[in-house]
Amino acid sequence: MNNKDYINTLSARMGYSAGDTQRLVTNLVNAMSDSFLEDDAVMVPSFGTFEVKKKMERIMVSPSTGQRMLVPPKLVLNFKPSASWKEQLKNGGQK
């Protein structure tokens, strides 16, 4: 599903215009991005939690050359699904 399909489906479910729905989704993503920049986790009830985690510096070995390289530390976005959502996935989407 691409962005246009997503916006059309969401606007049909909510009863808003596609333009209003696009602005709503954009504002939601921007608010989440601001929270991530402040190092805050974002919890979406009945869905899961998004949080920024720091990966430590590590040594990696190149499989082709066997040469060891130092990988610098970095920030990554992590998602942890809620227990109810995880159970739905295990059951193939059935409640």
Side-chain angles (χ1 to χ4, degrees), residues 3 7 9 12 14-16 18 35 49 53 59-61 64-66 69 74 81-82 92-93 95:
N3 184 49
I7 295 299
T9 301
M14 295 178 60
Y16 293 115
S35 293
T49 304
K53 289 193 172 187
I59 297 174
M60 180 191 91
V61 178
S64 59
T65 63
M69 296 182 282
K74 63 181 175 179
S82 68
K95 288 189 177 186

Side-chain angles (χ1 to χ4, degrees), residues 24-44:
L24 173 75
V25 170
T26 301
N27 289 336
L28 175 69
V29 170
N30 288 340
M32 288 175 72
S33 297
D34 292 343
S35 293
F36 298 143
L37 290 174
E38 294 171 6
D39 214 17
D40 293 335
V42 176
M43 186 182 122
V44 180

Side-chain angles (χ1 to χ4, degrees), residues 43-50 79-86:
M43 186 182 122
V44 180
S46 301
F47 185 66
T49 304
F50 296 90
F79 173 71
K80 182 179 180 187
S82 68
S84 62
W85 204 72
K86 196 184 283 188

